[in-house]
Amino acid sequence: MFTKSRQKLSLICVLCGFFIFFIAASAVQKPTEALFDVLIKNAKIFDGSERNAFKADVAIQGDTIVKIDRSIKGNAKRIINAKGLYVSPGFIDLHTHADEGMYFPENRPALNYLKQGVTTLIVGQCGQSAWPIFEKAEDQMTRWTNESIGLNAALLVGHGTVRQLVMGMENRAPLPEELEKMKELVKEAMDQGAHGISTGLVYRPGVYSKTDEVIELVKVVKPYGGIYHSHIRDERDKLLESVEEAIEISKTTGVPAHISHFKVMGKKNWGLVREACALIEKAREQGLTITADQYPYRFSNGYPYRSLLPSNVWVGEEFQNRLSSNDVFSIFDYLRDDTLINLYKRVTPYIPINEHHEQFLKNLPRKQLVELVGQNLINVSDFRGITNLRDRMLLLRKMADTEFAEKVYKLVETNIENGAGAENIIVAICNEKKWQGKTLEQVAAIMGVSIGKAALDLELMDAKCIPLQMCEDDIEYIMKKDYVGTGSDGVVPFYGVGLTHIRSFSTFLHKIKKYALERKTVSVPHVIRAQTSLPARIMNWDDRGWIKTGYKADIVIFDLHNIKTRTSISNPQVYSEGVNYLLINGVLVLDGGKYTGKLPGKVTKLKKS
């Protein structure tokens, strides 16, 4: 009896042992549940302030930073070992024209910006709305939301676009009813989520507006807590008056004013930025919110290559019969409205045209419809300049006259000296490769000819030259200001197609590498702040621009000491290197430097305050 009890007890013990072993084995085999979606380990963090980098781990859940600590324990769906790398908030570009290219699905990733570590773009700048002139803000927002975009985007309503919708290209003040219609359109855009209004006061039709007109439209964005971005009226010898105008608009409306691509152009004007900064700082001391952005290059314009021949070279009776815009419009004025609209539909890239687009065309006054179709079908500039066979032949025929030739050379030289100067004009692209990278002054010296003769010779071979219209002293002086952020003024081009400014591919990493690491003009944390928390503050965002708990997981992880910006004035479309990982709203879009194919960007909308 006793033996049987012992045997039964032994059997029970053995069974219990097997049960315990089974339970333990199951526990070992079951994977630990992930606490986070992404865990960044061993990072050196620039958090968006002027503080030096500090070591910490960063945990992300969904689209949000949920924990920052010296060492975070726990599992994650993806662990990134950032040892030897630096972490920063994603860069925010305060000034872009990226919306023009991002309209097209091919360009939605905006890879040229991702490769720089940019996670958010402000679009609709220089008075041109971030949606085609014939649409509404909600059309673009809906399109990008439904079809997805690579980066976050904030939209501004363009004063020039609004003016053109109401007044066409008329060079006059708006009638009272026209001004009211313009205000209605600005309000409509703000109601739909635009962040503010932009002006391009050097471009048609913005150049035709007076300060009081702009003030009335900027007042509309005040109740929404919106902002006023301005390509000011003059960035040359009237820089100070133009900055004062922006300050006056802010003071009168109570709306923060932001000066786009802050600079001064023209050799004779270099140094004026110091007085302009003094004006801004005085206004800020008085309680106004005045800020600016800057791209760190000495040359400007989306297409920075410029003709070396001034317009007055083409003056004279021989050139009076050149094709003009009015000639083009007269051709199309013979056609019926429905024929014009059908022609337009066959050439516009904005397809399929939506209801608002169709209605816009049908409601256009006859004159504006003719101009719209004419401009879309025939580019008058194709019939102008040294590459136009007619102009070329006429100019060279006249140049056979020695006296006339000398007059032309003198005109060219005066124009060059009043601009950047021959020592500041670089040959970027030329059939004669030996001239590439040299200044016009150097080319003339090697050729043994005058500046004017060298300029004409380069023009005749269709060389592409870039005038360096800004100086390094001014760039660095502006960069040191704590109210100046970074804005590329760039675009999203069809990769490899056409020529553009190198700023579209390299602004943000170039600024870190050249001005913080090499020239030591400013510190790395200063540049990081100018590209993260400062732009967020300017745009009044409280959920981006910092590495902080509760903030959106827009994060760049980069190799600070191995940044490579390969763009050049001869080859501007080359992706930057140095960004190893990039997260937008918690989603990896660059992994090991390679694009993942994800489109996690969001259209941010301003909520009425």
Side-chain angles (χ1 to χ4, degrees):
M1 189 76 173
F2 180 76
T3 304
K4 286 183 179 181
S5 297
R6 288 188 62 184
Q7 288 176 342
K8 194 179 288 187
L9 183 61
S10 297
L11 181 60
I12 291 171
C13 289
V14 169
L15 290 173
C16 287
F18 273 117
F19 180 76
I20 293 169
F21 176 82
F22 176 80
I23 295 297
S26 298
V28 170
Q29 290 172 4
K30 184 179 179 180
T32 305
E33 186 177 351
L35 296 176
F36 311 110
D37 287 326
V38 179
L39 180 57
I40 303 169
K41 299 284 292 180
N42 308 311
K44 293 180 181 176
I45 297 175
F46 293 110
D47 63 2
S49 69
E50 295 267 12
R51 177 184 179 185
N52 287 328
F54 59 92
K55 292 183 178 180
D57 296 346
V58 181
I60 298 160
Q61 189 69 42
D63 65 355
T64 304
I65 298 171
V66 294
K67 190 173 184 180
I68 303 167
D69 208 334
R70 181 75 177 181
S71 179
I72 298 176
K73 305 299 181 184
N75 201 7
K77 294 176 183 176
R78 177 64 190 274
I79 297 176
I80 298 173
N81 184 1
K83 187 174 183 180
L85 303 177
Y86 287 79
V87 166
S88 160
F91 301 146
I92 299 171
D93 194 327
L94 278 163
H95 186 102
T96 83
H97 298 275
D99 46 293
E100 297 171 16
M102 285 173 61
Y103 181 94
F104 305 99
E106 177 187 346
N107 289 334
R108 295 280 165 77
L111 197 54
N112 57 310
Y113 280 105
L114 296 182
K115 291 281 190 175
Q116 297 180 63
V118 178
T119 56
T120 302
L121 306 170
I122 292 88
V123 299
Q125 298 285 359
C126 297
Q128 185 175 354
S129 288
W131 50 96
I133 191 171
F134 37 72
E135 295 189 350
K136 297 179 182 294
E138 64 184 3
D139 291 326
Q140 185 74 298
M141 292 176 181
T142 300
R143 179 184 299 113
W144 283 354
T145 298
N146 291 346
E147 299 177 13
S148 301
I149 52 176
L151 299 89
N152 302 310
L155 281 60
L156 301 172
V157 56
H159 160 251
T161 298
V162 167
R163 197 180 209 273
Q164 187 177 350
L165 278 169
V166 175
M167 301 175 59
M169 290 294 182
E170 298 286 339
N171 182 4
R172 60 175 175 81
L175 300 173
E177 59 269 26
E178 289 173 330
L179 184 59
E180 285 306 309
K181 179 60 177 174
M182 290 162 67
K183 290 164 74 172
E184 287 174 16
L185 289 172
V186 173
K187 184 179 185 303
E188 175 187 78
M190 296 302 295
D191 283 336
Q192 292 173 3
H195 284 260
I197 186 170
S198 75
T199 54
L201 299 179
V202 296
Y203 304 121
R204 297 175 62 235
V207 67
Y208 303 142
S209 63
K210 305 300 183 186
T211 306
D212 58 350
E213 174 188 325
V214 179
I215 285 173
E216 288 305 306
L217 296 178
V218 173
K219 283 179 180 177
V220 176
V221 313
K222 168 66 174 175
Y224 298 83
I227 189 170
Y228 169 54
H229 283 239
S230 182
H231 180 145
I232 56 178
R233 208 171 287 274
D234 192 293
E235 296 177 325
R236 296 180 181 273
D237 54 334
K238 289 186 170 60
L239 174 70
L240 301 183
E241 295 94 319
S242 300
V243 169
E244 286 175 335
E245 181 184 32
I247 293 171
E248 179 188 350
I249 291 168
S250 176
K251 184 176 182 179
T252 305
T253 63
V255 173
H258 182 80
I259 297 172
S260 300
H261 38 63
F262 186 31
K263 59 184 179 292
V264 71
M265 296 191 290
K267 188 169 62 172
K268 66 179 182 179
N269 300 315
W270 291 349
L272 270 180
V273 296
R274 295 172 185 267
E275 294 176 63
C277 285
L279 290 173
I280 292 171
E281 286 153 22
K282 181 179 178 181
R284 286 171 60 86
E285 288 169 3
Q286 293 172 348
L288 297 181
T289 303
I290 312 294
T291 55
D293 62 65
Q294 171 199 50
Y295 56 81
Y297 298 99
R298 292 189 61 195
F299 52 102
S300 64
N301 295 292
Y303 180 83
Y305 311 90
R306 290 288 172 266
S307 171
L308 300 179
L309 304 184
S311 58
N312 51 4
V313 164
W314 307 103
V315 172
E317 61 180 284
E318 293 88 346
F319 300 109
Q320 285 180 358
N321 292 322
R322 299 166 99 193
L323 191 72
S324 71
S325 296
N326 287 333
D327 294 326
V328 172
F329 301 152
S330 68
I331 295 170
F332 291 95
D333 202 22
Y334 289 99
L335 302 177
R336 294 180 351 196
D337 285 8
D338 58 344
T339 304
L340 288 169
I341 290 173
N342 284 330
L343 277 173
Y344 173 83
K345 287 180 178 179
R346 293 167 67 180
V347 298
T348 181
Y350 302 114
I351 52 175
I353 65 173
N354 67 14
E355 179 186 350
H356 293 140
H357 189 166
E358 182 90 36
Q359 200 59 47
F360 166 79
L361 294 171
K362 290 178 178 178
N363 291 343
L364 274 178
R366 170 72 185 179
K367 183 174 182 290
Q368 285 182 244
L369 178 61
V370 168
E371 291 180 0
L372 176 68
V373 175
Q375 290 165 352
N376 273 270
L377 268 79
I378 298 178
N379 184 357
V380 175
S381 64
D382 291 340
F383 298 87
R384 302 285 179 88
I386 204 72
T387 57
N388 176 259
L389 297 181
R390 188 175 191 277
D391 271 6
R392 186 184 186 98
M393 182 186 71
L394 287 174
L395 181 63
L396 289 178
R397 182 182 291 172
K398 294 186 72 173
M399 292 293 289
D401 179 344
T402 304
E403 185 177 339
F404 177 82
E406 287 303 319
K407 181 181 177 182
V408 167
Y409 294 147
K410 189 59 66 178
L411 282 172
V412 171
E413 290 171 3
T414 300
N415 183 67
I416 288 169
E417 188 54 35
N418 288 341
E423 74 280 12
N424 291 308
I425 293 176
I426 310 296
V427 181
I429 301 172
C430 185
N431 200 42
E432 291 283 349
K433 301 299 181 187
K434 62 185 177 183
W435 301 134
Q436 286 187 180
K438 290 186 169 55
T439 66
L440 176 58
E441 185 178 64
Q442 290 170 329
V443 171
I446 295 169
M447 285 183 172
V449 299
S450 68
I451 296 295
K453 178 67 166 61
L456 182 61
D457 287 350
L458 288 168
E459 285 285 309
L460 288 170
M461 65 179 86
D462 196 27
K464 302 291 187 291
C465 299
I466 291 180
L468 305 181
Q469 300 187 74
M470 289 84 80
C471 70
E472 284 290 358
D473 283 349
D474 285 354
I475 290 171
E476 295 189 350
Y477 187 81
I478 291 170
M479 189 178 294
K480 292 175 182 177
K481 299 300 181 180
D482 64 1
Y483 51 83
V484 176
T486 305
S488 68
D489 199 7
V491 298
V492 179
F494 294 101
Y495 187 60
V497 178
L499 295 171
T500 187
H501 197 297
I502 63 176
R503 64 195 182 195
S504 296
F505 284 78
S506 54
T507 292
F508 290 81
L509 296 183
H510 170 75
K511 187 173 179 180
I512 294 171
K513 182 178 181 181
K514 179 176 179 178
Y515 291 97
L517 297 179
E518 296 175 356
R519 294 175 71 93
K520 301 191 185 305
T521 303
V522 288
S523 67
V524 174
H526 179 95
V527 176
I528 297 296
R529 174 184 173 274
Q531 300 182 169
T532 57
S533 64
L534 176 60
R537 192 179 79 197
I538 289 170
M539 296 302 296
N540 200 26
W541 294 333
D542 58 4
D543 62 347
R544 300 181 193 276
W546 289 89
I547 301 294
K548 283 184 179 181
T549 302
Y551 274 60
K552 296 297 183 185
D554 291 347
I555 296 174
V556 55
I557 304 173
F558 62 105
D559 190 342
L560 179 62
H561 299 291
N562 282 292
I563 290 172
K564 295 181 176 65
T565 51
R566 302 185 183 280
T567 52
S568 71
I569 56 176
S570 302
N571 189 19
Q573 290 200 37
V574 186
Y575 294 127
S576 294
E577 296 178 14
V579 176
N580 295 46
Y581 303 92
L582 186 68
L583 294 100
I584 297 178
N585 297 311
V587 177
L588 269 170
V589 289
L590 292 184
D591 191 347
K594 295 180 180 179
Y595 177 49
T596 64
K598 306 288 187 182
L599 295 171
K602 303 292 183 184
V603 177
T604 68
K605 296 184 179 183
L606 180 66
K607 296 179 181 178
K608 189 172 181 179
S609 61

